[in-house]
C-alpha cells in the first residue's frame, strides 16, 4: 500500500511540475508574443495528434512516454486532456487579456495555484471537502496562498490579491476535472484586469 501511494505521489509530482513550468510562458509572451502563441497552438495540435496515435497503439517516442507517466487513473485508455486544456487556458489568457500584468496573474494562478493545490492536497490533505470530488482543505489553502503570493509579486495591492486568490480557490474547488485549466487563466486574468482599472 505504501509503495502504491509513493508511486501515485511521484506521478502527481511529475504532472504538477509540468503545470508549474507553464509559469515561464508570460516571460516569452512579453518578449516574443506572436511566436509564443504560435508555438502554443503548435504544441496543442502536435500533442493531440500524438495522443490519437497512442490510442491507436502507435507510440510516439518521448511524447507517449511522458503522457503515460503523467496520466491519472481516470485517464487510462482515454485521450489525456490535461495538456490540451492547460495550453487552451493559457492561450485564452494570451489572446483576450491585453494587459501583460493581468495576463501574467491569470497564468500564474493556473501554474502555481492549481498546480500546488493538487500536489499539497495529495501530500498533506487529510480533511476532504464535501461535494468537491476529493478536494481537501490543504489543497484549497495551498491554492489560495500560491495565487495570493504570485499575484502580490505582480500587483502588491492586498485587496486585489485577496479577491484574486479567493476567486481562484473557489474555481479550483469546483469538480471540473481538467476544465479548470481552461477557466482559471482567463477568469483570474480578466478579474485582475477589472480590479486594476478601479
Amino acid at each position: 500500500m505504501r509503495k502504491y501511494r509513493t508511486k501515485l505521489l511521484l506521478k502527481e509530482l511529475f504532472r504538477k511540475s509540468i503545470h508549474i513550468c507553464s509559469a515561464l510562458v508570460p516571460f516569452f509572451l512579453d518578449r516574443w508574443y506572436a511566436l509564443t502563441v504560435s508555438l502554443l497552438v503548435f504544441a496543442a495540435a502536435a500533442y493531440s495528434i500524438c495522443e490519437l496515435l497512442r490510442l491507436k497503439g502507435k507510440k510516439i517516442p518521448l511524447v507517449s512516454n511522458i503522457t503515460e507517466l503523467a496520466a491519472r487513473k481516470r485517464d487510462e485508455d482515454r485521450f489525456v486532456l490535461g495538456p490540451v486544456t492547460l495550453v487552451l487556458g493559457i492561450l485564452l489568457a494570451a489572446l483576450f487579456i491585453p494587459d501583460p500584468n493581468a495576463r501574467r496573474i491569470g497564468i500564474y494562478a493556473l501554474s502555481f495555484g492549481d498546480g500546488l493545490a493538487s500536489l499539497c492536497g495529495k501530500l498533506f490533505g487529510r480533511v476532504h471537502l464535501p461535494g468537491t470530488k476529493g478536494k481537501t482543505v490543504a489543497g484549497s489553502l495551498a491554492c489560495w496562498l500560491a495565487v495570493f503570493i504570485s499575484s502580490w509579486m505582480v500587483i502588491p495591492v492586498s485587496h486585489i490579491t485577496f479577491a484574486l486568490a479567493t476567486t481562484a480557490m473557489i474555481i479550483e474547488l469546483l469538480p471540473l476535472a481538467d476544465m479548470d485549466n481552461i477557466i482559471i487563466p482567463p477568469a483570474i486574468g480578466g478579474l485582475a484586469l477589472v480590479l486594476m482599472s478601479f
Side-chain angles (χ1 to χ4, degrees), residues 97-120:
I97 300 173
D99 182 85
N101 283 333
R103 182 171 58 223
R104 188 174 292 113
I105 287 169
I107 295 170
Y108 287 171
L110 176 64
S111 303
F112 300 121
D114 188 52
L116 292 174
S118 181
L119 196 55
C120 289

Side-chain angles (χ1 to χ4, degrees), residues 46-48 50-51 54 60-69:
Y47 169 81
S48 296
C50 291
E51 187 62 356
R54 182 185 70 84
I60 308 301
L62 189 62
V63 178
S64 296
N65 294 345
I66 290 171
T67 301
E68 288 171 0
L69 276 173

Side-chain angles (χ1 to χ4, degrees), residues 5-196:
R5 182 169 162 73
T6 302
K7 185 179 176 183
L8 286 179
L9 287 175
L10 288 173
K11 185 180 278 275
E12 193 66 19
L13 184 61
F14 180 72
R15 283 182 66 252
K16 292 308 173 179
S17 65
I18 296 168
H19 223 72
I20 291 168
C21 284
S22 66
L24 296 171
V25 173
F27 171 84
F28 295 106
L29 285 170
D30 290 346
R31 284 152 186 82
W32 306 285
Y33 179 85
L35 176 62
T36 303
V37 167
S38 300
L39 287 172
L40 286 169
V41 170
F42 173 77
Y47 169 81
S48 296
I49 292 166
C50 291
E51 187 62 356
L52 289 170
L53 289 171
R54 182 185 70 84
L55 290 174
K56 291 185 177 188
K58 298 173 184 172
K59 293 190 178 186
I60 308 301
L62 189 62
V63 178
S64 296
N65 294 345
I66 290 171
T67 301
E68 288 171 0
L69 276 173
R72 293 175 176 163
K73 184 83 173 155
R74 71 177 186 218
D75 294 325
E76 284 181 8
D77 301 320
R78 295 173 59 191
F79 189 103
V80 180
L81 267 178
V84 175
T85 59
L86 184 79
V87 172
L88 286 177
I90 292 169
L91 277 171
L92 287 172
L95 294 171
F96 297 109
I97 300 173
D99 182 85
N101 283 333
R103 182 171 58 223
R104 188 174 292 113
I105 287 169
I107 295 170
Y108 287 171
L110 176 64
S111 303
F112 300 121
D114 188 52
L116 292 174
S118 181
L119 196 55
C120 289
K122 295 272 190 303
L123 287 170
F124 310 112
R126 300 291 178 264
V127 180
H128 291 268
L129 297 162
T132 62
K133 293 192 177 178
K135 305 282 176 100
T136 65
V137 171
S140 295
L141 290 175
C143 176
W144 190 91
L145 192 59
V147 175
F148 185 88
I149 292 169
S150 61
S151 299
W152 179 267
M153 299 302 288
V154 180
I155 309 168
V157 181
S158 56
H159 69 279
I160 292 178
T161 53
F162 182 88
L164 294 169
T166 303
T167 305
M169 182 185 72
I170 291 167
I171 294 170
E172 201 280 325
L173 270 173
L174 299 172
L176 300 169
D178 288 324
M179 293 303 113
D180 60 349
N181 289 348
I182 295 174
I183 295 167
I184 289 174
I188 301 305
L191 179 60
L193 190 61
V194 170
L195 294 175
M196 286 161 47

